[in-house]
Amino acid sequence: MKRILQMIRKEFRQIFRDPPMLGIIFLVPIVQLFILSYAITTDVKHIKLNIIDHDNSYISREIIRAFAQTERFDLVDHRSDISSIDDNMQAWKSQITLVIPENFSKELKRNLKPQIFVAVDGVDGNTAGIALGYAQSILLNFGAEIQLKKARIAPTKDIHLVEMEERMWYN
């Protein structure tokens, strides 16, 4: 223990002997802390979104509008060709694709639990996870709004909110 205390004293003498060293040790980290706290953000914005809408109904357009109104997603493509998903992702034209199936709104009105397919490019795992979280949040909020509207029209005990099921595909 005595050796460690002697070494600490020696180091403090050395630091206080050289005034520029004081600035390097104490001032530079404080300046970096203030500058980097404003420069670094973990928000992911402007994710390239591709939408394939086979339903083309009022509800599907409302879902698209919910995605387009956020600054998180940029709608880059809106078509009905499902074969373009891989090509767009490989060419970096889209990072996430939302596929709304045929008869989605009819199945939703009949409480048949229709499914929406969300494909996320997993090359950048962090961005993919965050994008999937944003998409889930938008879809869950949309599902909750739909269920609240249904409950106002015809109150029932059997209200099911949107369920998210995540499947990882490799290679």
Side-chain angles (χ1 to χ4, degrees):
M1 187 70 168
K2 217 174 204 184
R3 283 185 171 178
I4 293 175
L5 288 174
Q6 287 175 349
M7 190 177 279
I8 291 172
R9 280 189 202 128
K10 179 193 78 87
E11 289 299 324
F12 272 109
R13 278 191 215 130
Q14 184 64 31
I15 289 170
F16 288 115
R17 186 182 307 165
D18 189 15
M21 185 63 75
L22 282 172
I24 292 172
I25 292 176
F26 296 110
L27 189 61
V28 171
I30 292 171
V31 170
Q32 286 178 343
L33 182 70
F34 283 114
I35 291 173
L36 294 179
S37 67
Y38 290 106
I40 295 175
T41 180
T42 57
D43 284 347
V44 178
K45 296 180 182 177
H46 306 291
I47 301 164
K48 300 175 197 167
L49 172 68
N50 180 20
I51 293 182
I52 299 172
D53 185 8
H54 292 292
D55 191 38
N56 202 17
S57 65
Y58 172 75
I59 292 177
S60 68
R61 287 189 296 272
E62 285 297 312
I63 291 171
I64 294 167
R65 189 173 298 122
F67 275 87
Q69 286 179 345
T70 67
E71 64 180 9
R72 309 273 189 226
F73 294 101
D74 290 336
L75 185 60
V76 293
D77 201 4
H78 183 180
R79 49 173 86 177
S80 60
D81 181 22
I82 200 160
S83 65
S84 66
I85 293 175
D86 288 338
D87 297 335
N88 283 345
M89 285 192 182
Q90 287 178 0
W92 273 99
K93 292 180 183 175
S94 70
Q95 293 170 284
I96 186 169
T97 301
L98 186 74
V99 181
I100 303 170
E102 258 183 277
N103 301 321
F104 175 79
S105 59
K106 290 177 186 175
E107 290 180 9
L108 188 65
K109 288 176 185 174
R110 292 188 291 178
N111 291 328
L112 295 178
K113 296 185 182 179
Q115 297 180 354
I116 292 179
F117 177 68
V118 179
V120 183
D121 186 4
V123 171
D124 180 3
N126 185 43
T127 302
I130 293 170
L132 184 61
Y134 290 156
Q136 286 176 342
S137 175
I138 290 171
L139 291 172
L140 287 172
N141 287 338
F142 187 80
E145 287 177 20
I146 294 288
Q147 292 299 331
L148 285 175
K149 287 179 185 176
K150 282 184 181 181
R152 285 185 201 142
I153 296 170
T156 62
K157 295 179 186 175
D158 192 26
I159 294 179
H160 298 287
L161 294 177
V162 175
E163 295 176 17
M164 302 302 288
E165 181 178 324
E166 188 173 323
R167 294 183 194 150
M168 297 291 187
W169 292 2
Y170 298 97
N171 298 332

